[in-house]
Amino acid sequence: MRESKMRRFKINKYSPFYSLLQGIWEQKVARVGMYILLAIIIFCLIGVFWTPYNPNSTQFPRDLPPSPKHWLGTDDYGHDVFSQLLVGGFPVIGVGLLTGLIGTLISIFIGISAGLYADTLVDRILSGITQIFLVIPGILIIELIGAYLGAEQIKLGYITILIALSTTGWAWGARVLRSLVLPLRRREYILSSELIGESKLSIVVRQIIPNNLPFIASNFFFTAIYGIAGFTFIYYFGLGSLTQVNWGTLLYWSLGGEAYLRGLWWWYIPPGLMIGLVALSFALINIGIDRVANPRLRVDNKKYKKMLSEIKKRRKEEEVIEWTK
Amino acid sequence: MRKDYIIKRGIYYVIIWFIGISLDFILPRLIPGNVLGTIIYGRIGGNLSAYGQNVQQEIETLVQQLGLSQYYHTPLYIQYFDFLKDIIRLNFGPSLTEFPISVGKIIAEAAPWTFMIVIPAVVAAFFIGNLLGRSAALHRGGIRDYVILGGTMFLYTFPVFVTGEILIEFLAVDLHIFPTGGQYNTFIFLKPTFSLPFIWSVIYHAILPVLTLVLFSLAGWIIGMRNNMIPILQEDYMNYYRLMGVPERVISSKAYRLALLPNFTSFSIALGYSVLGAVAIEYLFNYAGLGYFFNQAITGLDYPLLNGIFFMLVTAMVLSNFVADIIYGIIDPRTSKEETEGE
């Protein structure tokens, strides 16, 4: 009894998920990305338990430059910037990752159903919707919605931002997935599963998704980058809710205070840098996944250089032979 | 057959464009609350008592003046037809934040300034990015590859307006090399004129925004170029060249030309996206293009202006995608053939 339970939790080394993870881990680029992400998450975790000062208190002198007392100085309103930076990370990372997750789920659903039912009415409608979202930038639509909500004094909260970003960020993934599924559904093993009587859902879950796992993983991080960029854009245009401290609100206030014209670099560079680093870590992992999915992108410069030098050596030998003739 | 393909794509994009601009109509009506009331309140709310008894009449004349009768309670389909009529005539009514000036006039004045920074930025990013991508592909796995790829990835993921802020603070405020904002020196030139010093002033003021946009969009070209070129360099026909003793310099230039082809098709789409990027940074540089007024419209709840600029941006995106499709059809004739034959 116990043994069978143990067996269930054993890692299946041949599962596509495990091999993908292993492949990503082998890519140096992706590993660097994961270390950066891990460091940022630890930084934010520290913020949950400890900050040098209360991030919401405005008791400090204004516009102090960085000093041992205030590591990143204070802002126009007398906040300690470093405390705010510690506290404000998780909303950004969370919105980014969840946008990636929900957006990818939507693109899996729409892309695979469009691909499976290609050339039917379902496919036409789904592909049409995908095209619209592809051509008309999602951030533009969100800004329009935010502007109209602004008339009602409504600012976008985290949940609204998350919904808005994930419902506009799925289109690229859906289109590529559709084109990946199209040749797949004519393959023998899918046809034979259909003939055996396997249901469509089961084919999708057990054959189509595992086969396209590298692309889905890469799409996850791609959408997550979109989520983070969208998050900062929403705050940049002043459409986001300002009740909680996060890196977006920090940027918003520093912009409003014209920090960049007054030399208050410690107010806007740290949050910008942190947002940039989170997105960078996603992008690096994404490059690693690309290399797993497309082996021709893998860098084997040593092999290539060795081949080159061999060719050159051979040429020289040939020249010598020709010359001696 | 090609004409067929272009017409088909054209109809397709007209439909998408139609749906895009209809969002302008649908969204304000889906959102709870009374947009019209907010606008009216914004204009006369402060001194409501000054109007005394005539508030109702005042509101009605304001509605007529502002061209907001579309928000009145006529049936939805009539509102929609009015909306379409207005859009096709490019008549968005007067702006609310710059009141008597019409939205059409603001856009006509702002759009050239946006193109002033977008077109040089896209062209410069295209050339620099492709050359850097080529260099990264040729030295793949080396230090130069890591520096180029890592550096530009960082610039790409960095929020674009923070890049702009940093450039303004260090190059304009601290070092006084560039102006902090504006399109030209308003102390010397009161009005745009066609003289050499004026043109120089325009270029001088455009350098920083263009630089910001270039830094932001470089990564796309570099990664595209690198990912196109690495497989080409490993092709058998390239190895054949090497065996024939063709110098590596010639081989790399041949591979470069082959890899450039897909990047050409993304050129017009990049143009569309750079308009969006410009929207983000124009406010920062006080550069009175479309983005500057877009920001003003959002913060000032200036809905006619917002509609007008949204219309312009959607049109720009649809057009750039359409042009990209046509270029792609010319470069790769298979796509146009497949489309007409129905998959």
Side-chain angles (χ1 to χ4, degrees):
Chain A
M1 185 68 194
R2 196 164 197 186
E3 211 171 61
S4 69
K5 244 185 190 172
M6 287 292 283
R7 202 171 291 158
R8 207 181 290 162
F9 288 110
K10 215 172 173 185
I11 296 167
N12 178 6
K13 284 197 176 173
Y14 300 100
S15 85
F17 194 69
Y18 181 80
S19 65
L20 176 70
L21 277 183
Q22 207 178 22
I24 295 169
W25 187 248
E26 277 165 11
Q27 297 299 319
K28 220 188 272 170
V29 187
R31 229 184 298 171
V32 171
M34 283 184 205
Y35 286 139
I36 295 176
L37 188 61
L38 191 71
I40 293 169
I41 288 176
I42 290 172
F43 179 82
C44 296
L45 269 179
I46 293 172
V48 173
F49 300 108
W50 174 84
T51 52
Y53 302 100
N54 178 3
N56 293 317
S57 89
T58 52
Q59 53 172 337
F60 307 109
R62 291 169 184 190
D63 300 337
L64 284 180
S67 62
K69 211 175 160 196
H70 297 283
W71 288 359
L72 286 174
T74 59
D75 66 8
D76 246 10
Y77 308 91
H79 293 115
D80 180 54
V81 176
F82 186 68
S83 306
Q84 289 198 315
L85 202 66
L86 272 170
V87 169
F90 274 128
V92 182
I93 300 173
V95 166
L97 287 176
L98 284 175
T99 304
L101 184 70
I102 300 173
T104 306
L105 286 179
I106 297 174
S107 57
I108 286 175
F109 179 72
I110 291 190
I112 290 182
S113 4
L116 276 183
Y117 298 99
D119 280 335
T120 62
L121 190 65
V122 180
D123 172 41
R124 296 260 156 77
I125 293 170
L126 291 180
S127 300
I129 298 171
T130 313
Q131 276 294 331
I132 292 166
F133 276 102
L134 215 55
V135 174
I136 298 166
I139 290 188
L140 214 56
I141 299 173
I142 295 171
E143 272 156 20
L144 200 64
I145 296 173
Y148 280 113
L149 283 175
E152 304 302 312
Q153 307 293 326
I154 299 170
K155 298 275 186 182
L156 304 177
Y158 294 145
I159 305 278
T160 331
I161 291 176
L162 178 61
I163 293 169
L165 286 173
S166 45
T167 46
T168 51
W170 51 269
W172 182 77
R175 193 176 72 167
V176 180
L177 260 179
R178 178 183 177 273
S179 65
L180 287 175
V181 171
L182 272 181
L184 211 63
R185 71 190 180 122
R186 294 261 172 271
R187 289 283 186 82
E188 273 96 359
Y189 60 89
I190 304 254
L191 279 178
S192 55
S193 308
E194 262 174 29
L195 287 177
I196 292 168
E198 204 175 332
S199 70
K200 278 243 154 108
L201 184 70
S202 156
I203 291 175
V204 167
V205 172
R206 291 166 65 182
Q207 313 206 27
I208 290 177
I209 289 179
N211 262 306
N212 292 311
L213 209 55
F215 172 74
I216 290 170
S218 137
N219 184 39
F220 170 79
F221 287 106
F222 182 81
T223 316
I225 294 171
Y226 166 79
I228 286 176
F231 187 86
T232 48
F233 265 76
I234 286 168
Y235 274 97
Y236 171 73
F237 280 104
L239 302 173
S241 156
L242 299 169
T243 50
Q244 273 144 317
V245 179
N246 64 53
W247 296 339
T249 55
L250 262 137
L251 281 180
Y252 173 75
W253 290 121
S254 67
L255 193 80
E258 295 193 323
Y260 58 102
L261 291 177
R262 295 161 49 204
L264 309 176
W265 57 267
W266 55 88
W267 192 5
Y268 67 89
I269 291 183
L273 194 72
M274 294 307 276
I275 291 172
L277 279 177
V278 175
L280 179 71
S281 71
F282 291 168
L284 291 178
I285 297 171
N286 209 347
I287 291 178
I289 298 172
D290 270 355
R291 286 184 188 166
V292 175
N294 187 357
R296 300 218 299 177
L297 288 181
R298 275 181 216 167
V299 178
D300 44 358
N301 213 20
K302 273 179 204 158
K303 213 166 133 192
Y304 166 75
K305 284 220 166 120
K306 203 171 151 196
M307 189 187 75
L308 253 186
S309 66
E310 259 172 33
I311 289 171
K312 274 182 189 155
K313 217 162 76 190
R314 212 175 301 154
R315 286 287 304 177
K316 257 183 199 160
E317 278 166 15
E318 276 168 18
E319 268 170 29
V320 170
I321 292 166
E322 258 173 44
W323 190 65
T324 47
K325 267 179 189 170
Chain B
M1 199 176 284
R2 174 149 308 149
K3 208 184 264 172
D4 224 41
Y5 167 73
I6 291 175
I7 290 171
K8 218 173 173 185
R9 290 273 93 186
I11 293 170
Y12 197 59
Y13 279 112
V14 166
I15 294 171
I16 289 179
W17 178 75
F18 204 69
I19 294 172
I21 56 174
S22 296
L23 281 175
D24 236 3
F25 176 82
I26 300 162
L27 283 177
R29 285 164 180 80
L30 282 181
I31 282 159
N34 184 359
V35 173
L36 177 68
T38 316
I39 294 170
I40 300 288
Y41 184 78
R43 286 209 67 80
I44 61 169
N47 46 359
L48 203 61
S49 53
Y51 292 98
Q53 297 286 317
N54 300 330
V55 170
Q56 189 60 38
Q57 202 191 336
E58 201 61 40
I59 286 175
E60 243 154 62
T61 50
L62 250 180
V63 166
Q64 292 299 326
Q65 267 181 5
L66 300 176
L68 293 171
S69 43
Q70 48 165 320
Y71 290 102
Y72 258 142
H73 290 286
T74 46
L76 262 182
Y77 65 93
I78 293 177
Q79 284 183 35
Y80 187 58
F81 278 122
D82 284 346
F83 169 82
L84 287 182
K85 244 194 283 175
D86 279 352
I87 274 200
I88 287 161
R89 283 200 230 124
L90 295 177
N91 169 27
F92 302 100
S95 156
L96 301 182
T97 43
E98 320 234 329
F99 174 54
I101 306 172
S102 75
V103 169
K105 204 177 169 211
I106 292 177
I107 290 177
E109 273 173 20
W113 290 113
T114 299
F115 290 124
M116 249 311 287
I117 56 171
V118 164
I119 292 172
V122 174
V123 172
F126 182 78
F127 281 106
I128 302 171
N130 280 326
L131 286 178
L132 283 177
R134 168 190 168 152
S135 163
L138 290 178
H139 300 89
R140 58 191 177 281
I143 296 167
R144 201 185 293 192
D145 182 21
Y146 284 119
V147 170
I148 290 174
L149 209 60
T152 50
M153 275 322 276
F154 183 68
L155 282 172
Y156 172 67
T157 50
F158 210 68
V160 58
F161 45 88
V162 180
T163 315
E165 284 177 294
I166 292 172
L167 287 178
I168 290 177
E169 177 168 350
F170 292 103
L171 292 181
V173 177
D174 289 355
L175 297 175
H176 299 291
I177 300 175
F178 295 108
T180 53
Q183 303 105 295
Y184 50 86
N185 195 333
T186 43
F187 291 111
I188 302 174
F189 307 99
L190 298 172
K191 260 184 174 178
T193 50
F194 271 104
S195 61
L196 211 60
F198 177 75
I199 293 170
W200 167 242
S201 173
V202 167
I203 293 172
Y204 182 55
H205 281 71
I207 290 175
L208 267 193
V210 168
L211 185 64
T212 313
L213 271 183
V214 168
L215 288 179
F216 170 65
S217 48
L218 220 48
W221 298 118
I222 289 177
I223 290 174
M225 189 68 205
R226 189 180 176 279
N227 285 4
N228 291 337
M229 204 161 155
I230 287 177
I232 290 174
L233 282 172
Q234 295 164 349
E235 290 286 356
D236 284 343
Y237 52 85
M238 286 296 162
N239 285 335
Y240 180 66
Y241 276 136
R242 288 188 190 104
L243 285 172
M244 290 205 325
V246 177
E248 200 59 18
R249 184 175 47 82
V250 178
I251 291 175
S252 69
S253 84
K254 277 184 192 302
Y256 177 63
R257 238 181 289 166
L258 279 172
L260 206 56
L261 215 57
N263 267 6
F264 264 120
T265 59
S266 8
F267 188 81
S268 75
I269 294 180
L271 215 59
Y273 270 97
S274 292
V275 171
L276 274 189
V279 165
I281 61 163
E282 272 173 8
Y283 174 69
L284 218 61
F285 288 96
N286 225 356
Y287 203 87
L290 288 176
Y292 178 84
F293 286 108
F294 191 62
N295 211 318
Q296 182 179 325
I298 289 181
T299 46
L301 301 179
D302 184 350
Y303 295 107
L305 186 56
L306 193 67
N307 281 355
I309 294 174
F310 184 82
F311 168 80
M312 285 298 290
L313 295 176
V314 166
T315 310
M317 293 305 291
V318 169
L319 262 182
S320 63
N321 273 275
F322 180 51
V323 172
D325 268 15
I326 291 176
I327 295 175
Y328 199 61
I330 292 169
I331 288 178
D332 191 351
R334 282 174 303 175
T335 41
S336 55
K337 224 175 172 182
E338 268 167 30
E339 279 292 325
T340 43
E341 281 165 9
E343 221 209 345

